[in-house]
Amino acid sequence: MALAVALAFRAVVGERESGTLKLRLGLPATKRDVLLAKLVSRLSLVVVTLLPLFVVLGVLMSSVYGGIPLVAFGLTAGWLLFYTSVWTTFVVGVSAAFTSPFRVLAAICGTYLFFSPVTRIWDMVVMCLFSLVFAGSLTIHH
């Protein structure tokens, strides 16, 4: 997730802050074109960064353990690519929604903390509301 945030959080807000976004939007491209180009470029950076790491990890695991379980390794690599792609897409969207890099970082950190199993905000708020609506009680039964 940190890779996605580092590569994408200034995607649009950085250009808005520097003034180059006005120049880009003055060209024949639409806002959607600019946003999609930002998204594709950031997703490409994430993939180009992660794929060599997976290759190196696979070679190291093969040399140390004498082989790797290809299906498990492939599923794990695919899941990590999917996870970072989702976060990259979210961060580019948040970058387009706010006018300040600090607000972008605050929105990203707030979202992460809300859904993080460490802080358990999701359990305390949303799950209690679901329990109230469907069970008639604020207590969560596991």
Side-chain angles (χ1 to χ4, degrees):
M1 188 202 87
L3 174 69
V5 172
L7 291 176
F9 95 94
R10 292 184 60 89
V12 178
V13 77
E15 287 204 16
R16 183 179 290 134
E17 194 177 48
S18 69
T20 57
L21 187 61
K22 284 184 182 182
L23 175 67
R24 283 195 197 277
L25 293 175
L27 298 172
T30 64
K31 289 180 184 180
R32 179 181 293 148
D33 294 338
V34 171
L35 188 61
L36 283 174
K38 291 291 183 182
L39 178 60
V40 168
S41 69
R42 293 323 194 261
L43 285 173
S44 299
L45 280 172
V46 167
V47 170
V48 165
T49 304
L50 287 178
L51 284 181
L53 292 174
F54 292 141
V55 170
V56 169
L57 182 62
V59 168
L60 287 174
M61 286 177 63
S62 290
S63 67
V64 170
Y65 298 110
I68 57 171
L70 291 177
V71 173
F73 187 79
L75 287 173
T76 303
W79 173 250
L80 286 172
L81 282 171
F82 174 75
Y83 181 76
T84 54
S85 296
V86 168
W87 269 103
T88 302
T89 304
F90 171 73
V91 171
V92 169
V94 169
S95 178
F98 292 102
T99 58
S100 162
F102 299 111
R103 289 180 182 163
V104 171
L105 284 176
I108 294 165
C109 291
T111 303
Y112 178 76
L113 288 174
F114 183 77
F115 289 110
S116 174
V118 175
T119 58
R120 298 183 54 100
I121 295 172
W122 177 264
D123 286 347
M124 291 186 301
V125 176
V126 177
M127 292 302 290
C128 285
L129 290 175
F130 272 98
S131 180
L132 179 64
V133 169
F134 293 110
S137 169
L138 284 175
T139 49
I140 302 171
H141 303 284
H142 291 281

